[in-house]
Amino acid sequence: MAPRRAPRPDERGKAAEETRERILRAAVREFGEKGYSGARTAGIAARAGVNQQLISYYFGGKQGLLEELRRRRQEEEPSAPDASFEESIGAQLARTLDDPDWARLVVWQALGDCPFADADEGRRHMEAQRSRMAAALERMRRRQEAGEVAGRVDPAFALLVAYSVVFAPITMPQFVRDIFGDDPLSPEIRRRLHGELVKLLGEAED
């Protein structure tokens, strides 16, 4: 039998990167189900099928995992300044419902499960969130001025309604299922929420 070949450096690097990705995917599922406070690195390691020590090795622990997930999420933030209101609603629905575990983590944090909120990283995250909301509100105002969104609605309320409907399959799945009679994450529900939200807020005034 020929001796077993030692892996090349590029192979080791690829294996390490695949391990990191498995850990990150497992972390999103664990955080989404249990929140940051309830999640355990042992549970994340079990989901990823890796030794728990690798989480500390690659990310420095649970906090480092969340920071890396947040960083990646911000990098993936869609940037389409010329998108129509209808297109932007579709993009937000896709971003939320294509990754329900991340959306659940957002809900956990909105309910107060916000780790290291008083630390520098936590303050930076909250400041970035406020900045994103301010930018979203300004876009809503511009859409109203352009006649794309009905001016009869307060822009802050319009923005809140939009986010509430987009997140409804995550925050109130049983209500969505009972009202619409379908899986909250189904393409049909997404299509209906998209169409009705655009009609509700984008309808021209009489």
Side-chain angles (χ1 to χ4, degrees):
M1 180 181 295
R4 194 173 175 184
R5 179 178 65 83
R8 298 192 305 268
D10 62 321
E11 293 174 333
R12 289 195 295 270
K14 182 179 180 181
E17 184 59 28
E18 289 174 349
T19 298
R20 283 173 53 89
E21 293 303 315
R22 285 207 313 275
I23 292 171
L24 287 167
R25 289 194 297 270
V28 173
R29 293 195 299 272
E30 182 83 0
F31 290 149
E33 286 185 13
K34 303 177 181 178
Y36 180 84
S37 299
R40 296 291 179 266
T41 54
I44 295 170
R47 288 175 185 267
V50 301
N51 188 300
Q52 185 177 347
Q53 292 178 338
L54 287 177
I55 294 176
S56 295
Y57 177 76
Y58 286 124
F59 302 101
K62 191 167 74 166
Q63 178 174 333
L65 267 174
L66 183 58
E67 290 174 1
E68 175 63 12
L69 288 169
R70 282 175 169 172
R71 184 189 67 78
R72 290 191 178 202
R73 189 72 173 178
Q74 289 173 5
E75 287 181 353
E76 295 167 0
E77 190 87 25
S79 178
D82 298 328
S84 67
F85 177 62
E86 183 174 358
E87 290 168 340
S88 68
I89 291 297
Q92 284 299 325
L93 277 165
R95 183 171 168 80
T96 302
L97 304 186
D98 285 349
D99 195 355
D101 287 317
W102 179 265
R104 292 183 187 104
L105 173 59
V106 171
V107 174
W108 275 106
Q109 294 184 3
L111 293 174
D113 184 26
C114 191
F116 41 95
D118 295 329
D120 288 342
E121 174 61 26
R123 284 192 290 270
R124 283 194 297 270
H125 173 69
M126 288 187 287
E127 288 169 4
Q129 176 70 11
R130 283 193 290 268
S131 178
R132 286 193 295 271
M133 289 298 99
L137 181 57
E138 180 57 31
R139 285 195 299 272
M140 185 65 77
R141 290 194 180 103
R142 290 201 301 268
R143 292 184 193 282
Q144 287 185 312
E145 291 169 0
E148 192 180 3
V149 173
R152 66 181 181 276
V153 183
D154 178 88
F157 183 74
L159 185 63
L160 179 61
V161 168
Y163 274 111
S164 298
V165 171
V166 166
F167 270 86
I170 304 298
T171 58
M172 299 184 295
Q174 70 278 24
F175 289 175
V176 173
R177 182 182 296 107
D178 292 344
I179 291 169
F180 291 98
D182 204 348
D183 176 3
L185 298 179
S186 69
E188 173 62 16
I189 291 296
R190 186 182 306 197
R191 183 190 66 78
R192 292 183 69 178
L193 294 181
H194 184 196
E196 294 303 321
L197 189 53
V198 170
K199 282 196 295 185
L200 179 67
L201 296 178
E203 198 172 65
E205 294 185 67
D206 295 331

